[in-house]
């Protein structure tokens, strides 16, 4: 042992010290191994059961054991979350403490929904603030309505006062009303501002709770106040007699209170009355009178309408007088009586009227002046009228005669003579017209162009002559240029005629026109056709025939005839005849005409003709015409009728 060095002793001492420390550590470790697990489990159980405060304390006591620090922080966050939640609920109930709750949630930001809860706390605060604004505005609105209800009757009284002269007392009431209305309008603006502020606050909250519904509710409440304010503004304008602006404001009041009654009163009476007043003030009296009349008995409309009408009539009368419309002016001034001195103007008008009539030298002017009752110059006017009338009538008669004479036709002269036949002022011109008419009737030069070349005359030329010169000495000659019996037309050279036999009771006649116009040709009773052979019967026309010929054309007709020679042969188509008038045998003409008039049969007519031309015995008359079957054409009865006609013809 004496050989161990001091260095070795120090080294051994250090080893012993390390062993001692290690032993102590091992002892402590062994103690922890068996103690900490139990406490951890107890802390965890507290955490799970929601005893966050105790769990936090327990975990904190475990120090760094396992995840005790994390669990301790979790437990502390839960405690803080629960505390913040309680603060938020209390703030919602009391309406205060939202900022503290938000701060509490912000302190544990990131834990669970703390960030959302922090925002929720601030939104709740904003919602409460917006709701408070809405409630404030609503309360002020109720107070405003109560005040307006008390004020409304005063406005109505002002409406009544406007319809009559206002007294000092009513004027004072009007001033008080205006002040009250102005105050209410201002208060309403304040309430509307609060509602707008509340609506903006709700809008900022987006979809939070019922914010969107509250925006609409706030808007509706603000509209009510706005309508009430419009009503107050309208009443204020009404009181100030700013009626057109008041009407628009009442229409914008949404039917608030009695807006409808105000609108009706303004529309039907007040504004029309004000318009009438302005028209009157502007001198538009006619329009003013109509406007007052439309208002009926409203206020003094009847009286003012009458006054406006008088002014309008007076002005019209003055204008008429200035324009020398004396009759119309006199009538109006007469109706106005003493208005604006109208009656005093009547003598002046009388004098001016008469002077004007004299200057015009006009019948109408004299006649118009004479229509004036009690005219000062009536006698003079009557004399002047007669003088002017005579001059006028003479001039009119001369003009009428000159016009008729210039026309150069008889109808024009006849019109003049008819119109002036009873006029004492046209005697001279009537004599001249009659002389001229006689001269025209005898003037051969008027008909010469037609009669000188009858074939080339047109219907229009004939019509013109007959129209312009009725009663002319050649009228019938001109008329016969296109209508008449064939002998006259033949003599005029406008037709030719060819006649052939046919039978004992018919003859064929061909008429040919040589004129450049249509013709009407008559083959009259009493015409007879003479044959070219003495053995063939002469034929007499027993019924007239009228034929229309076209220009330069021919027409064939079958003419009803009777035989004039009982013992001669019956004509046929080989026999030709000439046509002529039966002037030499007047009795035969009368007999044939009487037969035609009585519409007798052919047998009776034929028997009557033979009695006149041949005077045969009865047997010859009865037996000359016999049918192939032996029947007689002329019976005893026919013969008796024929004899009676001959006796009647004389």
């Amino acid at each position: 042992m004496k050989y161990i060095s001091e260095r070795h002793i120090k080294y051994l001492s250090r080893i012993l010290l390390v062993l001692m420390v290690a032993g102590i550590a091992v002892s402590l470790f062994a103690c922890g191994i068996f103690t900490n697990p139990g406490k951890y489990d107890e802390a965890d159980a507290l955490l799970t059961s929601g005893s966050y405060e105790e769990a936090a304390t327990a975990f904190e006591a475990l120090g760094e054991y396992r995840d005790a620090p994390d669990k301790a922080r979790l437990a502390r966050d839960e405690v803080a979350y629960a505390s913040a939640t309680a603060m938020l609920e209390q703030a919602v109930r009391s309406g205060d403490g939202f900022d503290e709750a938000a701060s509490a949630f912000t302190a544990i930001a990131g834990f669970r929904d703390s960030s959302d809860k922090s925002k929720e706390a601030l939104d709740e605060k904003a919602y409460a603030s917006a709701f408070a604004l809405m409630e404030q505005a609503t309360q002020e609105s109720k107070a405003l309505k109560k005040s307006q209800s008390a004020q409304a009757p005063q406005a109505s009284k002002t409406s009544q006062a406007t319809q009559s002269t206002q007294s000092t007392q009513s004027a004072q009431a009007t001033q008080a009303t205006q002040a009250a209305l102005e105050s209410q309008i201002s208060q309403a603006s304040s309430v509307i501002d609060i509602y707008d502020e509340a609506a903006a606050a709700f809008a900022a909250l987006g979809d939070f709770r019922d914010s969107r519904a509250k925006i609409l509710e706030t808007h509706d409440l603000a509209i009510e106040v706005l309508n009430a304010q419009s009503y107050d503004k309208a009443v204020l304008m009404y009181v100030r007699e700013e009626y057109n602006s008041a009407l628009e404001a009442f229409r914008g009041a949404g039917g608030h209170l009695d807006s409808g009654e105000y609108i009706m009163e303004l529309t039907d009476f007040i504004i029309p009355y004000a318009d009438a007043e302005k028209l009157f003030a502007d001198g538009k009296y006619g329009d003013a009178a109509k406007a007052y009349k439309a208002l009926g008995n409203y206020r003094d409309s009847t009286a003012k309408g009458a006054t406006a009408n008088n002014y309008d009539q007076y002005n019209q009368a003055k204008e008429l007088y200035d324009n020398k419309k004396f009759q119309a002016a006199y009538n109006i001034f007469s109706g106005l009586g003493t208005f604006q001195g109208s009656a005093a103007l009547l003598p002046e008008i009388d004098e001016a009227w008469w002077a004007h009539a004299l200057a015009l030298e006009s019948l109408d002017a004299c006649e118009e002046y004479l229509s004036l009752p009690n005219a000062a110059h009536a006698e003079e006017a009557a004399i002047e009228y007669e003088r002017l009338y005579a001059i006028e009538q003479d001039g009119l008669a001369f003009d009428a005669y000159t016009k008729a004479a210039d026309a150069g036709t008889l109808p024009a002269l006849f019109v003049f003579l008819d119109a002036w036949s009873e006029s004492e002022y046209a005697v001279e011109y009537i004599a001249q017209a009659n002389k001229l008419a006689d001269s025209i009737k005898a003037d051969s030069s008027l008909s010469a162009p037609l009669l000188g070349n009858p074939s080339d005359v047109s219907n229009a030329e004939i019509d013109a002559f007959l129209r312009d010169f009725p009663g002319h000495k050649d009228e019938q000659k001109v008329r016969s240029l296109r209508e008449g019996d064939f002998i006259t037309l033949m003599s005029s050279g406008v037709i030719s005629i060819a006649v052939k036999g046919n039978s004992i009771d018919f003859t064929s006649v061909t008429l040919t026109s040589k004129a450049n116009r249509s013709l009407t040709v008559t083959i009259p009773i009493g015409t007879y056709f003479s044959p070219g052979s003495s053995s063939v019967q002469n034929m007499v026309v027993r019924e007239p025939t009228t034929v229309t010929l076209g220009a330069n054309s021919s027409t064939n007709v079958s003419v009803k005839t009777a035989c004039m020679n009982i013992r001669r042969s019956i004509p046929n188509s080989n026999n030709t005849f000439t046509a002529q008038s039966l002037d030499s045998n007047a009795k035969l003409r009368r007999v044939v005409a009487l037969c035609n008039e009585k519409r007798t049969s052919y047998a009776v007519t034929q028997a009557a003709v033979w009695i006149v031309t041949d005077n045969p015995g009865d047997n010859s008359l009865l037996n000359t015409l016999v049918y192939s079957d032996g029947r007689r054409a002329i019976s005893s009865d026919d013969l008796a009728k024929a004899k009676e006609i001959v006796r009647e013809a004389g």
Side-chain angles (χ1 to χ4, degrees):
M1 297 296 290
K2 62 177 179 180
Y3 298 107
I4 299 173
S5 65
E6 186 178 348
R7 185 171 57 84
H8 286 152
I9 292 172
K10 288 181 181 180
Y11 178 73
L12 289 173
S13 296
R14 290 177 181 171
I15 292 175
L16 288 174
L17 181 58
V18 170
L19 290 174
M20 287 176 63
V21 172
I24 293 170
V26 169
S27 297
L28 291 173
F29 177 75
C31 181
I33 288 175
F34 296 107
T35 301
N36 287 341
K39 290 182 179 180
Y40 182 90
D41 290 339
E42 290 177 4
D44 202 37
L46 289 171
L47 181 63
T48 302
S49 66
S51 300
Y52 300 121
E53 185 66 40
E54 293 85 344
T57 302
F59 278 120
E60 288 171 351
L62 287 172
E64 298 298 325
Y65 179 71
R66 294 175 60 183
D67 59 352
D70 294 333
K71 289 290 184 75
R73 281 192 298 275
L74 176 61
R76 287 297 175 192
D77 286 345
E78 288 288 1
V79 171
Y81 185 85
S83 175
T85 300
M87 291 171 67
L88 178 57
E89 291 172 352
Q90 175 60 30
V92 171
R93 287 193 296 272
S94 65
D96 189 26
F98 293 109
D99 289 336
E100 291 79 357
S103 297
F105 280 117
T106 300
I108 53 173
F111 178 71
R112 291 174 63 174
D113 58 351
S114 293
S115 297
D116 293 338
K117 285 293 184 177
S118 177
K119 184 178 182 305
E120 180 182 345
L122 294 176
D123 286 346
E124 287 287 359
K125 177 184 178 182
Y127 183 89
S129 176
F131 188 82
L133 286 171
M134 188 174 74
E135 284 293 300
Q136 177 189 349
T138 301
Q139 292 303 315
E140 292 185 20
S141 175
K142 289 179 180 178
L144 187 60
K145 284 181 182 178
K146 184 176 180 181
S147 172
Q148 189 177 52
S149 297
Q151 183 62 30
Q154 295 181 32
S156 181
K157 289 177 183 177
T158 302
S159 170
Q160 296 170 8
T162 309
Q163 300 178 26
S164 63
T165 303
Q166 294 185 0
S167 65
T168 303
Q169 183 177 358
S170 63
Q172 293 173 350
T174 301
Q175 292 176 1
T177 299
Q178 291 187 50
L181 289 169
E182 289 170 352
S183 175
Q184 288 176 181
I185 292 168
S186 177
Q187 293 174 40
S189 295
S190 176
V191 172
I192 292 169
D193 288 344
I194 296 173
Y195 274 128
D196 289 344
E197 187 179 352
F202 282 122
L205 288 168
D207 293 326
F208 183 72
R209 291 178 62 175
D210 59 349
S211 292
R212 296 197 181 279
K214 288 296 182 184
I215 293 171
L216 297 177
E217 182 180 351
T218 303
H219 175 74
D220 291 342
L221 292 171
I223 290 295
E224 290 182 16
V225 179
L226 185 62
N227 286 340
Q229 185 186 48
S230 295
Y231 176 86
D232 285 337
K233 288 179 178 179
V235 173
L236 182 59
M237 294 172 188
Y238 181 93
V239 172
R240 291 174 176 171
E241 300 183 5
E242 299 169 3
Y243 297 123
N244 287 297
S245 298
L247 177 62
E248 294 305 313
F250 278 123
R251 285 173 174 165
H256 188 73
L257 294 179
D258 55 350
S259 296
E261 296 175 18
Y262 271 111
I263 290 171
M264 183 173 66
E265 182 183 13
L266 285 164
T267 303
D268 294 347
F269 298 106
I270 294 178
I271 290 177
Y273 182 84
D275 291 342
E277 291 278 79
K278 186 175 187 307
L279 288 169
F280 188 91
D282 291 344
K284 299 178 181 178
Y285 299 115
D287 293 336
K290 292 176 184 177
Y292 282 124
K293 183 178 180 181
L295 285 165
N297 294 323
Y298 178 72
R299 293 180 62 177
D300 54 356
S301 294
T302 300
K304 285 196 171 182
T307 301
N309 186 65
N310 284 342
Y311 272 113
D312 183 52
Q313 292 291 304
Y314 183 85
N315 287 343
Q316 287 185 41
K318 284 182 61 180
E319 184 176 354
L320 290 167
Y321 178 59
D322 292 340
N323 291 321
K324 302 186 185 306
K325 305 293 184 181
F326 298 109
Q327 185 177 40
Y330 191 95
N331 291 339
I332 295 175
F333 279 126
S334 296
L336 288 173
T338 59
F339 182 79
Q340 295 289 101
S342 296
L345 292 172
L346 298 180
E348 177 185 336
I349 296 174
D350 188 317
E351 290 299 325
W353 192 348
W354 171 235
H356 181 66
L358 277 177
L360 288 176
E361 290 191 340
S362 161
L363 267 177
D364 290 340
C366 277
E367 187 175 10
E368 184 180 280
Y369 176 75
L370 285 169
S371 69
L372 173 63
N374 303 315
H377 301 277
E379 186 175 345
E380 299 169 68
I383 295 172
E384 178 67 6
Y385 182 86
E386 289 298 327
R387 184 183 74 83
L388 293 172
Y389 183 78
I391 294 173
E392 180 189 69
Q393 290 299 304
D394 180 79
L396 291 174
F398 174 77
D399 290 343
Y401 168 71
T402 302
K403 182 178 180 181
D406 289 345
T409 65
L410 292 173
L413 289 170
F414 296 155
V415 169
F416 165 76
L417 290 169
D418 286 343
W420 291 90
S421 61
E422 298 181 2
S423 173
E424 60 180 296
Y425 304 100
V427 174
E428 175 187 353
Y429 307 113
I430 291 172
Q432 293 181 37
N434 283 321
K435 183 178 179 181
L436 179 58
D438 292 340
S439 174
I440 290 174
K441 290 178 182 179
D443 189 354
S444 298
S445 66
L446 297 173
S447 57
L450 284 73
L451 300 176
N453 191 15
S455 296
D456 292 335
V457 175
S458 68
N459 277 324
E461 290 174 309
I462 295 172
D463 287 339
F465 180 87
L466 296 175
R467 180 190 66 237
D468 294 340
F469 308 111
H472 191 276
K473 69 181 186 66
D474 292 330
E475 179 180 8
Q476 191 55 44
K477 290 181 180 179
V478 173
R479 194 178 298 279
S480 67
L481 290 176
R482 65 176 178 188
E483 59 180 67
D485 63 79
F486 75 97
I487 292 177
T488 302
L489 292 172
M490 283 175 62
S491 65
S492 297
V494 294
I495 68 166
S496 63
I497 187 169
V499 184
K500 287 185 178 183
N502 187 333
S503 64
I504 196 170
D505 55 351
F506 286 95
T507 301
S508 294
V509 177
T510 300
L511 299 171
T512 300
S513 170
K514 299 178 181 180
N516 296 323
R517 61 185 178 277
S518 61
L519 299 171
T520 301
V521 184
T522 301
I523 302 174
I525 290 174
T527 300
Y528 84 96
F529 302 126
S530 177
S533 172
S534 59
S535 63
V536 177
Q537 298 168 346
N538 288 282
M539 308 298 291
V540 63
V541 175
R542 57 187 170 89
E543 185 174 313
T545 300
T546 300
V547 179
T548 300
L549 286 176
N552 300 301
S553 66
S554 296
T555 299
N556 182 264
V557 294
S558 184
V559 180
K560 293 180 180 180
T561 53
C563 170
M564 294 173 63
N565 309 103
I566 193 170
R567 292 177 180 86
R568 291 186 183 184
S569 301
I570 296 173
N572 58 42
S573 59
N574 293 320
N575 302 121
T576 60
F577 294 80
T578 58
Q580 53 191 296
S581 176
L582 195 62
D583 295 332
S584 61
N585 197 333
K587 184 172 182 178
L588 179 59
R589 292 183 65 182
R590 290 197 299 272
V591 167
V592 176
L594 192 56
C595 288
N596 181 68
E597 180 182 335
K598 292 180 178 291
R599 312 296 293 174
T600 62
S601 66
Y602 164 73
V604 172
T605 302
Q606 183 61 76
V609 169
W610 276 337
I611 290 172
V612 174
T613 59
D614 295 289
N615 194 22
D618 290 351
N619 287 332
S620 294
L621 288 170
L622 294 172
N623 296 315
T624 296
L625 293 178
V626 179
Y627 293 115
S628 60
D629 59 1
R631 289 182 298 110
R632 293 174 176 175
I634 299 174
S635 67
S636 297
D637 186 55
D638 293 334
L639 180 57
K641 290 179 180 179
K643 288 180 177 180
E644 178 61 31
I645 287 174
V646 172
R647 282 194 296 272
E648 185 178 343

